[in-house]
Amino acid sequence: MRESHFDHTLQNSVRHGGNIPAIWARSAGRETRVLGLSWADEVQLVLTLPDSGIQSPKDLKGRRFGLPKWENVQIDFARAQAIRGLENALRLNGLEVSDVQLVDYVISSGQSDAPAERIAGTQIFSGRRSGGQARELVGLLRERWTQFLEGCVAAQLANLFGLRTVIDTGSHPEPLIRSNNGTPRTLTVDQHLIESHF
């Protein structure tokens, strides 16, 4: 039942969340319908280590950018939103995704929204659902590449580990640059709910 939040398989369900799972569900043939959209701006950070020499998105040209690759999920929306965040940051500087070296960071356990509680022995979270981005951060810290993280957890992790924010596309004045998985969020229901319980 919990997985229906992503794949829209539970009959008569109402879902409010990121747009990538809603688009995926519809493209996979689910009878899901959009009732409305909501927009809540959020932090969308391209992060790097302070000694990387990367000051702005134009410095990403030719550099390594870590992309999460969750193996045990049907919809890897973390990967999709990282690519979108990178694409938005680069376009502001006349660059394309092909101008950076994409490196897969394979995450083989858990779910893409399950929290990691510890990194290298350091307590990160209290165990509440928090976005799961701590696992993705491990790649940035170990492999020393640039990474995209979003939401308040991204700001918390950037502060906790002293990371440099290359850009926050979530605070850009242009809404299309701020658009990503969580902006806009979709309010969806399945067709059966509309037809039988309008």
Side-chain angles (χ1 to χ4, degrees), residues 19 34 49 60 87-88 93 102 107 116 140 144 155 162 164 176 194-195 197:
N19 59 60
V34 175
L49 294 172
L60 294 173
E87 177 183 56
N88 288 341
N93 290 270
L102 300 179
I107 303 169
L140 185 153
R144 305 185 62 79
R164 174 180 291 139
L176 286 178
I194 293 173
E195 292 173 352
H197 306 288

Side-chain angles (χ1 to χ4, degrees), residues 37-82:
L37 301 172
S38 66
W39 190 285
D41 287 318
E42 61 187 355
V43 170
Q44 298 182 48
L45 304 178
V46 174
L47 297 169
T48 192
L49 294 172
D51 61 353
S52 69
I54 298 171
Q55 302 291 326
S56 72
K58 68 181 177 189
D59 299 325
L60 294 173
K61 186 171 184 174
R63 303 296 291 266
R64 296 186 322 143
F65 188 89
L67 282 179
K69 185 174 183 177
W70 290 83
E71 289 189 325
N72 298 324
V73 296
Q74 43 177 338
I75 309 166
D76 195 349
F77 61 87
R79 184 178 182 85
Q81 71 184 7

Side-chain angles (χ1 to χ4, degrees), residues 74-114:
Q74 43 177 338
I75 309 166
D76 195 349
F77 61 87
R79 184 178 182 85
Q81 71 184 7
I83 291 171
R84 175 66 177 170
L86 173 63
E87 177 183 56
N88 288 341
L90 292 172
R91 284 196 176 157
L92 289 171
N93 290 270
L95 299 172
E96 299 291 329
V97 173
S98 60
D99 290 319
V100 302
Q101 179 186 351
L102 300 179
V103 182
D104 288 340
Y105 181 60
V106 178
I107 303 169
S108 59
S109 62
Q111 301 169 339
S112 57
D113 70 331

Side-chain angles (χ1 to χ4, degrees), residues 109-154:
S109 62
Q111 301 169 339
S112 57
D113 70 331
E117 295 182 19
R118 302 180 80 75
I119 295 178
T122 302
Q123 184 73 27
I124 303 298
F125 300 111
S126 62
R128 296 183 311 243
R129 184 177 182 273
S130 56
Q133 296 181 42
R135 291 184 188 176
E136 296 165 25
L137 179 67
V138 172
L140 185 153
L141 297 174
R142 287 185 183 157
E143 304 296 331
R144 305 185 62 79
W145 55 48
T146 305
Q147 187 102 27
F148 174 86
L149 296 176
E150 56 83 27
C152 60
V153 174

